[in-house]
Every structure is written in structure tokens, then in C-alpha cells.
Amino acid sequence: MARKIKATFARGARRVTGSNFLFEIGEGEDLVRILVDCGLTQGERFCELTNSEPFSYNPKDIDAVFFTHAHADHIGLFPRLVKEGFKGKAYATQPTKELMPIMLEDSVQLIAAEAKKCNDEPPYDTTDVERAVRMVEAIPYEKSVTVANGVVATLYNAGHILGSAIVALDIDGRRIVLTGDLGRRPAALVPDHEFPKDTEILITESVYGNRVHGSLEESTEALLDAVRGSVSRNGTLLIPAFSLERTQIILSILDSAIASGSIPEIPVFMDSPLAAKVTEVYRRHPDFLREEVRARVAQGDDPFSFPSLRMTVSPSESRAISGVSGAKIIIAGAGMSHGGRIRRHEAEYLPQKNTTMLLVGYQVPGSLGRRIMDGAKEVDIDGQKIKVRAKVLKVGGFSAHADRNDLVHFAEVVHPKRVFVVLGETEAATFLAQRISGFYDVDVDVPREGETYEL
Ligand SMILES: [Zn+2]
């Protein structure tokens, strides 16, 4: 007999970050509880956010957690889950498992600093991170894991970042598919995402549920034009970039363009110790990259390196960048300028007219990156008033996320009977929900955080 299945959208509903979904299967003593993701909620107003709020379930009761990928908003609260008694199984792909300690060591510092600002206790520390990452078991794509009798989970390539996964839960012959963050087709570095078959219930992301990206080719051309412009104006090209995937996409494009002579070879600083560690994981797993990139590797090219690239790790190396005159490129985190080394470079270079700032990723409302993107003439950076005289450009084509068309296409191909739209701001999620229900005769809901649905 088919058991009762309940889905609770604990976090990450009507919100891009904080991915955390609970599935309860059956009743009473045989109840099976599965989590998909356990992510940080991110944004500028940390104190109002929810990372220290109690989980809506008891971590001790969870049988298994599956991670879609290693972005902090999908894994960043796992150490707290462990600290609060989680003793179940934890699964992820091999690259996700390797990226997790790197990403979590970074978020532990970030959340400790934020908690201090809010006079709050940090939700976890490095000991919890160490315990958490030891619990994760790597599983390959498309190899099923049995969680309990009649409850099986399978990961499929999500085409979003290295090792990213779609999670399919097969329960008593019914299939629930969670996209996690879904990549676009074609993706830049990783193979294009799969379309899991026989999906009955689809839980889809909607970060760009109401937008269409420019093409990768257009954005590549815009990046190379910005490089040429900085050369002719003898200025700095600032690129705030997420350390995981976006930075590697940009490095790989610069590597190809320099090799083919389509841009001059100017100093490029990758000013992010985090991105340096992440790039090492990419180098270890060419098998998780798309065929074109694997072919470059097979010919002896390192797609993430070229002679004029400097990876600046120590703070003194980072500070020394400002002494380098002439045209140069600085790639640094954080991608939304809410922390990290990019802020110091912004304070220095935004007032200069020959600076170009290239925004290559999503900018959450309230973040410094969003204010600059929206055309602020003056911004506050760590207590200093900074004039923005730089040219600000935005390209959408390096996004590692599916856009509205990709998401509708995904829903069309997997053809579920029921859809829940999550992981997007309300406007984007609602728009996508209307699109999907307008195209196909299917029940679509946009749940709120904390809501439970019987499936
Ligand atoms: Zn992601």
C-alpha cells in the first residue's frame, strides 16, 4: 500500500537561499524522514534572517540528507544539524563532498563575524564543520541509494556547478524530483543537466523564473570587450565573482581568449584564497566537466590557468595589487560584494573613471552589488562613503542557473502531474508557476516557508 508522503518547505520557499526541504514518509514508528539540502539563508540583513532559528523538525529524527550541491545556501546549516543531534546518513556526489569542507570553512568565518555584529551566538563552529563533513558519503550520478524499505534516492547531473545534482526520490512507485539549482543549457563548464524520467511531482527552483539570460556567446564577447576597453583606458576591470563555478567559467574564457590572441595578455589577479582552493577541486575532476573542456585538458591545457594569472592568497599579496599600475583584471569574492576582498578593491577603484565593474551574477536585493547594479552614485563600504564613477556593466550569460525558458522546458520534458515552485523570490516563483500552469494542464503551487503539503 502506498504510504502517506508529506513535504515541508522548511526554508528556501519564496526565497532564493536557505534550501531545506523535508519529506516524511509513512506514519508512527515506521516514519521515514529525508531532508534535501540544509542551506544558509543569505542576504545583507543577517540579523533578521533565520540561521539561528530552531529547525522546524528535530535533527535527531532525520534518517538521511541528500545535498544537491556545495553552494553555502544548500549546505551551510548542515554543521548545525549535526551539532543538534543529526545521526542519519548524508549523501552527495564526490565533487560536492570535496567542496563541502572548503565552502563550510569559509561560511563558518562569515557567520561568526555576522553573529558577532548581531550580538548572537554563532550557529556552529569549526569542530561542528569537521564532524559534519566526515559524515558525508560520496555517491555517483544515477546509482540509487536505498534509504528504507521502498524508499530510494538517485542523483542526476543538474548541470549547475561541478558535481551538482538533481535529487529523485522514488517512494512506493511514485517519483518526486527536486531540481536543486538547475543549470542552463548549454552550460559553460559542466555537462548539460539530465531530465529524470517518470516524474510525478516536480519541485523546481525559480531563481530566474521571470527572466531570460543573454547567451553565453554574447556575455563572453561582453567580457572580452570589457577587457579590451580596460586596456585602452589603462584601467582596472573589477569582477566580483562567486568562488565556486563563476570564477572558473571566467578563468576558462580568459584562458581560451589569451591563447587565441583575441585579447592582450594583461595581469589578472584572482584575489580569493577560497576560489584558489575550489579551482583545485575542478582540476581533480575533469571527468565532471563538459566534453569540450575535457578535450582541452586532454591536450595538456589547464583551462583555469595562463601565464599572466596571479592567484593572490595572503593578505599582503592581495594588498600589493593596488601597487600594480596599468590595465589589469581583478576577480574577487564575494559575488554580491556583501563580504570578502572585493569590497576593498571596490573602495579603491569605484571612484576612478577608467574602472569598469562587470557584474556577472545574481545580486540579492539589499546587497552592495545590487545597489551598484541599480546605479547608486555613492555607496557605503565598511563605513566609508565611496563615489561610483566607474562604468558598471552587467552580463547574465555566465549564470549557472536555468532561466525562465530553460525552467519551463524542463517542466515540459519531465512532464509531472504536480509542481511546486521554490528557491526564487516571490515574483519570480509566481511568474514561473503561472507560465508552467499556462502551458500545461498541471497543478502548480508556490509554497510558503514552513508549509506542509500532503503529496
Ligand atoms: Zn547553487
Side-chain angles (χ1 to χ4, degrees):
M1 203 183 85
R3 287 167 282 186
K4 226 187 234 178
I5 307 173
K6 285 196 299 186
T8 301
F9 300 90
R11 289 275 180 264
R14 297 184 180 232
R15 193 201 294 276
V16 169
T17 64
S19 182
N20 188 214
F21 307 112
L22 170 68
F23 297 88
E24 295 170 287
I25 301 132
E27 279 173 293
E29 285 194 354
D30 298 327
L31 190 65
V32 178
R33 295 181 187 86
I34 297 176
L35 280 184
V36 174
D37 286 343
C38 193
L40 271 188
T41 307
Q42 295 167 313
E44 193 105 316
R45 296 180 308 274
F46 182 87
C47 302
E48 296 166 25
L49 299 176
T50 50
N51 295 311
S52 298
E53 265 181 29
F55 290 112
S56 61
Y57 43 83
N58 186 345
K60 292 181 181 132
D61 294 338
I62 305 297
D63 297 288
V65 53
F66 291 84
F67 293 104
T68 58
H69 64 290
H71 276 146
D73 57 328
H74 295 258
I75 60 166
L77 275 191
F78 180 49
R80 213 191 108 199
L81 193 80
V82 172
K83 184 182 172 183
E84 294 182 12
F86 169 74
K87 289 187 179 58
K89 297 279 220 169
Y91 299 99
T93 64
Q94 184 66 35
T96 301
K97 179 182 158 74
E98 291 178 32
L99 288 164
M100 271 176 96
I102 300 170
M103 298 304 286
L104 289 173
E105 275 159 30
D106 181 67
S107 37
V108 83
Q109 292 170 25
L110 196 84
I111 59 168
E114 293 287 3
K116 206 175 160 191
K117 273 190 221 164
C118 319
N119 291 321
D120 210 348
E121 287 293 307
Y124 56 82
D125 60 24
T126 43
T127 320
D128 303 312
V129 169
E130 284 160 20
R131 279 174 60 207
V133 299
R134 274 201 302 270
M135 294 180 80
V136 180
E137 197 175 310
I139 50 171
Y141 288 136
E142 302 187 28
K143 193 170 181 297
S144 299
V145 172
T146 301
V147 178
N149 198 10
V151 182
V152 170
T154 313
L155 303 183
Y156 294 90
N157 169 31
H160 168 58
I161 65 166
L162 193 78
S164 62
I166 295 167
V167 178
L169 300 175
D170 290 295
I171 301 160
D172 303 331
R174 306 176 65 195
R175 173 166 267 205
I176 305 165
V177 164
L178 295 98
T179 60
D181 286 351
L182 195 69
R184 56 190 311 210
R185 285 165 77 93
L189 282 180
V190 292
D192 293 344
H193 69 71
E194 301 292 335
F195 295 93
K197 289 193 171 58
D198 306 319
T199 301
E200 180 185 328
I201 293 152
L202 171 64
I203 300 174
T204 179
E205 67 121 309
S206 58
V207 177
Y208 291 99
N210 57 351
R211 268 170 286 175
V212 177
H213 297 316
S215 73
L216 183 59
E217 291 75 22
E218 278 164 11
S219 293
T220 299
E221 219 22 71
L223 165 63
L224 301 182
D225 273 346
V227 176
R228 293 178 199 117
S230 295
V231 171
S232 68
R233 294 187 293 148
N234 214 28
T236 299
L237 175 59
L238 278 186
I239 310 179
F242 295 95
S243 307
L244 176 47
E245 193 81 6
R246 207 66 50 91
T247 294
Q248 291 75 29
I249 291 175
I250 291 162
L251 291 179
S252 144
I253 291 169
L254 294 176
D255 175 59
S256 295
I258 289 168
S260 69
S262 76
I263 53 168
E265 193 159 5
I266 59 170
V268 179
F269 297 94
M270 190 179 88
D271 192 23
S272 163
L274 175 63
K277 287 183 207 161
V278 167
T279 305
E280 278 309 310
V281 181
Y282 275 71
R283 289 203 178 97
R284 283 204 291 274
H285 292 289
D287 45 324
F288 281 80
L289 298 173
R290 59 194 296 119
E291 212 180 315
E292 308 90 279
V293 188
R294 286 207 307 270
R296 278 161 67 187
V297 176
Q299 286 164 5
D301 177 35
D302 177 346
F304 312 114
S305 189
F306 40 88
S308 66
L309 175 67
R310 305 272 176 280
M311 302 225 182
T312 45
V313 175
S314 71
S316 62
E317 285 174 308
S318 171
R319 280 192 300 272
I321 297 172
S322 72
V324 177
S325 57
K328 59 179 176 290
I329 303 172
I330 304 173
I331 306 165
M336 299 188 282
S337 306
H338 57 279
R341 291 181 175 180
I342 192 69
R343 291 171 81 97
R344 191 165 45 76
H345 299 301
E346 285 168 341
E348 179 170 356
Y349 293 104
L350 285 177
Q352 299 180 14
K353 273 188 173 154
N354 61 352
T355 298
T356 303
M357 178 149 167
L358 186 70
L359 295 166
V360 295
Y362 175 79
Q363 307 294 323
V364 76
S367 64
L368 174 59
R370 180 67 164 250
R371 289 199 295 276
I372 296 168
M373 184 182 101
D374 290 343
K377 291 285 168 252
E378 189 179 83
V379 288
D380 187 301
I381 301 181
D382 304 320
Q384 287 184 75
K385 297 250 177 281
I386 302 293
K387 291 253 182 289
V388 183
R389 295 195 189 89
K391 188 171 166 184
V392 178
L393 301 172
K394 184 183 174 301
V395 293
F398 300 135
S399 176
H401 279 274
D403 67 8
R404 182 191 81 198
N405 296 341
D406 294 319
L407 291 166
V408 172
H409 180 62
F410 184 82
E412 178 186 20
V413 175
V414 304
H415 208 82
K417 291 197 181 85
R418 191 165 184 195
V419 180
F420 294 93
V421 182
V422 297
L423 298 176
E425 288 166 28
T426 303
E427 210 181 302
T430 314
F431 186 94
L432 181 68
Q434 284 164 357
R435 269 291 159 124
I436 294 173
S437 61
F439 271 88
Y440 324 106
D441 186 20
V442 59
D443 280 341
V444 186
D445 282 292
V446 184
R448 289 171 197 280
E449 286 186 349
E451 278 185 348
T452 299
Y453 286 75
E454 195 161 319
L455 304 181

